[in-house]
Amino acid sequence: MSTERALLRVLGVGRRAGTALLLESVSFAVDEGAVLAVLGANGAGKSTLMAALAGDSTLDRGDIEFSGKPLAAWSPLELASRRALNASEPPVPFAMSVADYVALGRPFAAPDAEAVTAALAECHADPWRARDYATLSMGEQLRVQLARSLYQLGASEGRTRCLWLLDEPCAHLDMVQRQFVLKLMQRFAKALQWAVVFSTHDPMEAQAIADHALLMRHGRALLHAPTEHALDETTLSACYGQPIVAAPAFIAK
Amino acid sequence: MLAVSVLLAIAATLSLAIGAYPIPLARVLDGTLSDSEWSVLTRLRVPRVLASCVGGVAFATAGAALQSLFRNPLAEPGLLGVPSAAGLGAATALIVLGHGTGLWLGALIGAGIVMLGMLMAMRRTASNLVGGTITLLLLGVAINAACAAGIALLTALATEGELKTLAFWMLGSFASLTWPQVIAMATATMLGALALSRESPALGALALGERSAHMVGVSVTRLRLRIALVTTAMVACVTAFCGSVAFVGLAAPHIARLMVGAAPRRVLPLSALLGALLCVLADLVARAIAAPIELPVGAITSILGVPLMVWLVTRRTSAL
């Protein structure tokens, strides 16, 4: 990994809750234009790591740098224009159209109808723009949430070198939708030189689009390597603490 | 929005003319009012109509902001415990100190103490991004419970006359306010409403949830502190003079949201107008319907607001 192209640097990050270690000296970097998949059993620290990258939990140790600058040194608005997160979200409390929902990606700017439409179109969600967000199915809501992040990061204006974080983006999707969302993430990483970091329970998702994989166990980074080296029966067995074998599987083309 | 403004202007004008002592509006324009009529108009009617407008604006905008902050359509100004703290302060002034006229001062002090206590507690505990809102809510529940207990204890000591004064104050009334009191209320409410409208983009983003609002650039913990401070200050000032006027803070934002959607930058101003309209009408009905007896205005706001809200809410569900 060429460190001069690293957009995100995680340096010996540690976090504890009481006596429990949630993260311990996790270090890795993600280049611009690269996709990183974070894998691990339930409770391995994937979501805690994503929360740390999203800056919504304080670190007990280590540092996180984005674009050469520690996260704490960024102003909230500057950071919001370059870093987005998609994670499980609480229901929206009030009736709201899909277009208005997407526009909340930039709450302090006047809504840009063209950019909202472009973001919805990227996620094949434009037919729903006038629908009430709450009436969409879970999978449809997820695509609208992705559109919100694309709008937030100025995808249609071609803003480069952003950081897109996704915590289990495909958890509730059917196999066709899953493939669509993975390809979308990969496309923006390559087209706009974004760093994309996503967590998943499915090694096949990592195989599908990730350049690198990070295997976590008990809050530590077990292995960080190019996906083709990181994922095999031995490493995955170590990661999940159970024998794992490769077998043929169904995949949407 | 325009229609509501026009309605408000009509209601306010009617409200100036109608009452136990009717004032013909034509004579106001001619300038041929008698001295006693003039005195009723300037010393009783105008302050009263202004106070009901201001009270409506304060409760409605505070309610709208708190509903966005708590991401909960059930939130209302009473949630943070300010009206009940004001009630306890008023009860203390009336029953313990025996000052019927110092009611409002007691209410203001009570509300102020609770507000300070809450801010201090929030500094320590509500700094968490996601859990902080729940902490604030639970603090409000605790304050409400404590104040209700205090009022219950005090009422056991009260005489019958004191009980009646207190009960009437707690149901709310825009009557017998002096000009300085109205000006104080109006200033606090205007400053508060301006401060809240400045926060409307951030409040709008909270619909996404605290975590996502943080990701799109909202400083959630600081926003929470500011909204709590502004809404409690506003509600405290109005409650001290007018008592707690029920339901306006809950109903006006709902009605506004059903008319113009969920964005706070549209909901806040419309709620302000609707709250003022509801309070002016309620005050008019309260003193006109059984004149010269005055009914408690808080009861009338509910009687006017409930059917309107039930109609709007059921209409919306059937349309979806």
Side-chain angles (χ1 to χ4, degrees):
Chain A
M1 186 182 311
S2 55
T3 44
E4 64 273 17
R5 292 192 62 228
L7 193 54
L8 175 70
R9 263 203 206 97
V10 177
L11 309 161
V13 159
R15 177 163 156 71
R16 55 177 70 230
T19 54
L21 270 176
L22 301 181
L23 288 177
E24 197 181 4
S25 53
V26 175
S27 296
F28 62 91
V30 186
D31 286 358
E32 50 189 71
V35 179
L36 173 73
V38 180
L39 287 147
N42 283 327
K46 299 188 300 298
S47 288
T48 313
L49 176 64
M50 295 305 275
L53 296 180
D56 62 1
S57 61
T58 47
L59 301 174
D60 295 313
R61 208 165 269 193
D63 213 346
I64 298 175
E65 283 179 7
F66 171 54
S67 212
K69 206 158 88 170
L71 281 185
W74 288 76
S75 85
L77 277 181
E78 246 187 332
L79 205 49
S81 70
R82 297 279 305 277
R83 179 190 67 177
L85 167 75
N86 286 99
S88 66
E89 297 197 355
V92 168
F94 308 112
M96 186 185 298
S97 78
V98 165
D100 285 347
Y101 178 89
V102 171
L104 290 180
R106 299 180 207 162
F108 298 102
D112 179 344
E114 235 171 80
V116 167
T117 307
L120 281 168
E122 291 286 1
C123 302
H124 293 187
D126 37 333
W128 314 322
R129 56 171 302 131
R131 288 258 310 267
D132 181 353
Y133 173 81
T135 65
L136 299 177
S137 77
M138 245 173 143
E140 291 169 337
Q141 285 190 352
L142 176 87
R143 269 151 69 191
V144 173
Q145 288 162 16
L146 297 177
R148 186 195 77 211
S149 289
L150 293 180
Y151 176 69
Q152 179 188 342
L153 297 178
S156 67
E157 291 101 287
R159 194 177 300 151
T160 55
R161 303 182 75 239
C162 296
L163 172 63
W164 194 6
L165 307 167
L166 303 103
D167 194 3
E168 296 183 32
C170 302
H172 299 288
L173 299 180
D174 69 51
M175 56 196 300
V176 176
Q177 295 291 325
R178 176 185 304 209
Q179 195 65 11
F180 172 77
V181 167
L182 290 171
K183 290 288 174 205
L184 182 83
M185 289 153 52
Q186 187 182 37
R187 188 149 48 86
F188 279 98
K190 302 305 167 197
L192 295 175
Q193 298 299 300
W194 289 3
V196 174
V197 180
F198 74 105
S199 65
T200 178
H201 284 296
D202 187 348
M204 281 174 4
E205 290 178 9
Q207 277 180 322
I209 62 160
D211 302 294
H212 285 73
L214 174 69
L215 271 52
M216 297 190 68
R217 183 161 174 78
H218 301 323
R220 293 166 198 262
L222 208 60
L223 175 67
H224 176 238
T227 311
E228 62 270 26
H229 303 304
L231 300 183
D232 59 33
E233 294 182 346
T234 322
T235 57
L236 286 175
S237 300
C239 177
Y240 289 98
Q242 280 281 324
I244 289 181
V245 290
F250 294 107
I251 300 175
K253 288 312 264 179
Chain B
M1 188 90 116
L2 192 67
V4 178
S5 314
V6 172
L7 278 177
L8 177 59
I10 296 173
T13 317
L14 278 180
S15 192
L16 287 176
I18 299 170
Y21 194 111
I23 295 176
L25 282 176
R27 300 243 307 273
V28 178
L29 298 175
D30 295 348
T32 54
L33 282 182
S34 69
D35 280 352
S36 61
E37 283 173 331
W38 185 247
S39 140
V40 167
L41 187 67
T42 55
R43 283 210 266 140
L44 298 177
R45 253 357 117 58
V46 176
R48 181 165 195 160
V49 171
L50 274 181
S52 52
C53 281
V54 165
V57 170
F59 285 115
T61 50
L66 288 173
Q67 285 174 9
S68 290
L69 180 69
F70 287 110
R71 306 172 20 78
N72 190 326
L74 291 178
E76 45 103 18
L79 201 66
L80 298 183
V82 168
S84 51
L88 181 60
T92 311
L94 182 71
I95 296 162
V96 180
L97 307 172
H99 276 294
T101 46
L103 218 62
W104 63 269
L105 195 59
L108 209 53
I109 293 171
I113 290 173
V114 156
M115 207 167 86
L116 278 179
M118 197 168 63
L119 286 178
M120 271 153 58
M122 271 180 77
R123 275 200 165 281
R124 281 190 32 210
T125 58
S127 56
N128 303 330
L129 184 62
V130 178
T133 307
I134 307 286
T135 311
L136 187 55
L137 195 63
L138 290 174
L139 280 174
V141 170
I143 291 167
N144 272 320
C147 293
I151 292 175
L153 288 178
L154 284 175
T155 47
L157 305 172
T159 65
E160 209 146 297
E162 287 170 342
L163 273 184
K164 201 165 175 201
T165 313
L166 191 65
F168 199 81
W169 182 87
M170 291 222 263
L171 282 168
S173 165
F174 296 115
S176 54
L177 290 169
T178 62
W179 270 107
Q181 290 173 336
V182 173
I183 290 168
M185 265 173 64
T187 314
T189 300
M190 248 158 36
L191 290 177
L194 276 179
L196 291 181
S197 71
R198 280 192 52 224
E199 307 289 1
S200 52
L203 283 172
L206 271 182
L208 301 174
E210 278 93 357
R211 197 177 185 201
S212 298
H214 167 73
M215 292 307 292
V216 298
V218 176
S219 306
V220 176
T221 48
R222 265 183 265 165
L223 175 73
R224 193 150 49 207
L225 200 68
R226 285 201 300 268
I227 299 290
L229 183 68
V230 170
T231 54
T232 46
M234 227 161 116
V235 171
C237 284
V238 173
T239 312
F241 299 118
C242 305
S244 173
V245 180
F247 208 63
V248 179
L250 184 66
H254 272 280
I255 299 169
R257 219 173 271 119
L258 292 168
M259 287 165 75
V260 295
R265 88 194 122 84
R266 290 191 293 260
V267 170
L268 278 169
L270 187 58
S271 304
L273 287 176
L274 284 166
L277 178 64
L278 206 55
C279 282
V280 169
L281 284 179
D283 182 54
L284 178 60
V285 172
R287 64 197 153 83
I289 208 163
I293 298 172
E294 288 211 5
L295 304 174
V297 73
I300 309 291
T301 47
S302 298
I303 291 170
L304 285 178
V306 169
L308 187 58
M309 194 167 137
V310 168
W311 176 67
L312 280 165
V313 168
T314 50
R315 193 189 59 150
R316 171 174 151 247
T317 13
S318 61
L320 282 177

